[in-house]
Amino acid sequence: MGTASRDHEPPAAPAVVAALLGPMALYMGFIVPAASMGRHVVLGAVFGIACIASGWRALSIARRTQRGVRVWSWIGIVLGVLGLVMLVWQLLVIVTGGAFPSPFWTPYAHR
């Protein structure tokens, strides 16, 4: 009665989600769309936040027992954070009208 129940969710499930959403978030941060910037920013933010949240969830479930789950979770988290940073950088360039320096990863980001 006084013991805490253990989580029965397999830790590999959120780790897989993080590892799959990570490259999508990175891709959304890497490209600069010609049209529909609002949809691009919303999708990139959703992918990045979902990637970080599912990776963090997998880390909290796996704890120190499963090394593969922890590795893939961290890969997903790092890719998700990089995608969000790149997306925010692009957004700052567009919102400031070019006053913020353009991203170094794309020569066509000058608007």
Side-chain angles (χ1 to χ4, degrees):
M1 186 161 92
T3 62
S5 65
R6 289 200 53 170
D7 205 349
H8 298 292
E9 180 182 4
V16 168
V17 170
L20 291 177
L21 287 181
M24 281 302 298
L26 188 68
Y27 177 73
M28 295 298 277
F30 189 71
I31 63 169
V32 179
S36 68
M37 187 64 187
R39 182 175 49 189
H40 174 76
V41 169
V42 168
L43 281 176
V46 166
F47 285 147
I49 291 169
C51 176
I52 293 168
S54 61
W56 200 261
R57 175 76 178 142
L59 285 175
S60 69
I61 295 171
R63 309 224 184 228
R64 297 189 181 270
T65 58
Q66 298 169 342
R67 179 175 289 199
V69 170
R70 288 185 294 141
V71 167
W72 284 108
S73 297
W74 276 113
I75 289 171
I77 289 171
V78 167
L79 290 177
V81 167
L82 282 174
L84 284 177
V85 167
M86 294 166 74
L87 190 68
V88 167
W89 192 335
Q90 288 180 13
L91 193 60
L92 284 173
V93 170
I94 292 168
V95 168
T96 61
F100 197 77
S102 295
F104 59 88
W105 60 84
T106 176
Y108 305 110
H110 305 287
R111 288 188 155 209

